[in-house]
Amino acid sequence: MSTASHSDSVRGGGRVTGGRTENNSAATKVAFLGLGHMGGPMAANLVRAGYEVLAFDPVPAAQDQARRDGATVAETAGSAVAEADIVVTMLPNGRIVLDLYGEVLSAAKPGTLFVDCSTIDVADAQEAAKLAAAAGHRALDAPVSGGVAGATAGTLTFMAGGAAEDFADALPLLEVMGGKVVHCGPAGVGQAAKICNNMLLGISMIGLSEAIVLGEKLGLTHDKFFDVVSTASGQSWALTSYCPVPGPVPASPANNDYQPGFATALMTKDLGLAANALRGNGVDGQIGLLAAEIYARYNQDEAGKDFSAIVTDIRKRSEGEQL
Ligand code: NAD
């Protein structure tokens, strides 16, 4: 496993030549497919760093924004890919990634490097890598953590899976969009890191929220809860950086009526991927499976709220003296 981090002063780009990368962003053509909340600002950062970006998204508003950001908008995904040295995808789910690979792989130059940054099943990521290899190309899974704020600021954490030499070739480009880039292992293992991290985050947010609601019932104020737990053994990132009740962490979504942030719909999706992986690999992951159920239920009513709003659901379901 290798890790790379950078500051603005070392940002650069890379041109893939014969499997190696030269640090020359201006000469590297990047096809960027999927210009949504995440992909739009990520593509804009590549343009800013000097890459020639050929962008595609079926949504006209996303195309307009990409033009304003300085990308060239292609008529089709295939025509963007045909000219590219590296293809980055940032798409909603694994089905769409696999369908799009099926559509564009034959249009790419031999040996093109495909980098999928979407959050998808480990099995789908491995299938995507196989399809790319069978078509004479190279592939990495490189999902991200850090949300829209990280995508905009170029400070995402990338978790990559694939061959070491392909990771090395993608690194200059990933360092433009990210603050930390980790090569986690072979194909699919980047997605494994993403799924494990987000399963833990979902579990810890539920656990924290249950503790906060219990504290409320027992007469413990949020400020005193934070004061004690933030430096005691129950401490977590969910509490100290993303506190689910207003007050202790002013920047957390709780202070803004739970506007995301990281929407419940996305946490529900990631916990669904984790649940599949737990079941598919025979892991006795009872808490992970329960967390997936709890978020799936909450998602039916509040998909657009930040995932930390689960505390409001737990509070509501705890009304009355005894359950
Ligand atoms: P989004 O829905 O805003 O963007 C997805 C984009 O893909 C849309 O603009 C859509 O039009 C486009 N698209 C769909 N089919 C396409 C096709 N065939 N060709 C080209 N474009 C196509 O989603 P997002 O929030 O940007 O998330 C993208 C991925 O990143 C997801 O897998 C998500 O789980 C992951 N992710 C999101 C966040 C977040 O905070 N939003 C954080 C980490 C990871």
Side-chain angles (χ1 to χ4, degrees):
M1 185 172 89
S2 58
T3 302
S5 59
H6 73 97
S7 67
D8 283 348
S9 61
V10 298
R11 285 188 175 193
R15 175 175 179 72
V16 182
T17 49
R20 295 259 53 81
T21 304
E22 294 163 13
N23 203 21
N24 180 8
S25 58
T28 302
K29 286 188 182 169
V30 180
F32 206 114
L33 313 178
L35 306 163
H37 291 99
M38 297 292 289
M42 289 164 72
N45 280 330
L46 291 177
V47 173
R48 234 171 266 132
Y51 285 93
E52 182 177 346
V53 176
L54 308 158
F56 177 75
D57 191 296
V59 174
Q63 296 175 3
D64 292 344
Q65 184 59 49
R67 271 189 209 98
R68 282 195 293 276
D69 290 337
T72 303
V73 174
E75 291 280 310
T76 63
S79 62
V81 165
E83 294 184 43
D85 303 300
I86 302 183
V87 178
V88 181
T89 43
M90 194 52 167
L91 299 164
N93 60 52
R95 188 65 266 154
I96 292 176
V97 171
L98 290 173
D99 286 350
L100 190 59
Y101 272 36
E103 184 187 326
V104 303
L105 285 172
S106 61
K109 294 185 284 192
T112 297
L113 180 55
F114 282 76
V115 181
D116 179 40
C117 300
S118 327
T119 303
I120 67 174
D121 243 14
V122 172
D124 285 344
Q126 289 167 338
E127 178 64 19
K130 256 193 222 156
L131 288 174
H137 304 305
R138 303 175 300 139
L140 292 174
D141 49 292
V144 303
S145 170
V148 176
T152 304
T155 56
L156 293 168
T157 295
F158 282 89
M159 300 151 248
E165 54 276 23
D166 297 337
F167 173 74
D169 283 345
L171 188 56
L173 172 130
L174 298 179
E175 285 184 330
V176 166
M177 300 183 285
K180 183 171 181 184
V181 184
V182 182
H183 184 215
C184 298
V189 181
Q191 295 293 350
K194 171 75 183 170
I195 289 169
C196 289
N197 180 72
N198 281 22
M199 182 178 84
L200 196 49
L201 175 61
I203 290 170
S204 80
M205 186 57 81
I206 293 169
L208 171 61
S209 298
E210 290 183 357
I212 287 174
V213 173
L214 178 60
E216 290 170 0
K217 292 246 183 194
L218 298 176
L220 182 60
T221 65
H222 293 160
D223 281 348
K224 296 298 176 194
F225 181 102
F226 187 88
D227 205 9
V228 172
V229 179
S230 63
T231 52
S233 48
Q235 187 266 348
S236 65
W237 181 90
L239 177 65
T240 57
S241 297
Y242 214 85
C243 184
V245 290
V249 177
S252 77
N255 299 282
N256 188 24
D257 196 26
Y258 298 99
Q259 294 310 303
F262 187 56
T264 294
L266 290 172
M267 177 53 86
T268 304
K269 170 192 165 184
D270 291 358
L271 286 171
L273 296 174
N276 282 345
L278 288 169
R279 291 193 195 96
N281 291 280
V283 176
D284 182 23
Q286 297 178 48
I287 307 288
L289 293 175
L290 190 56
E293 270 178 41
I294 289 171
Y295 269 104
R297 182 181 65 200
Y298 184 55
N299 188 54
Q300 286 172 3
D301 298 324
E302 299 287 6
K305 287 264 189 215
D306 188 78
F307 82 107
S308 62
I310 195 78
V311 71
T312 63
D313 192 51
I314 292 170
R315 186 182 293 124
K316 196 168 94 193
R317 299 171 72 84
S318 308
E319 278 166 6
E321 287 295 304
Q322 284 186 325
L323 291 177

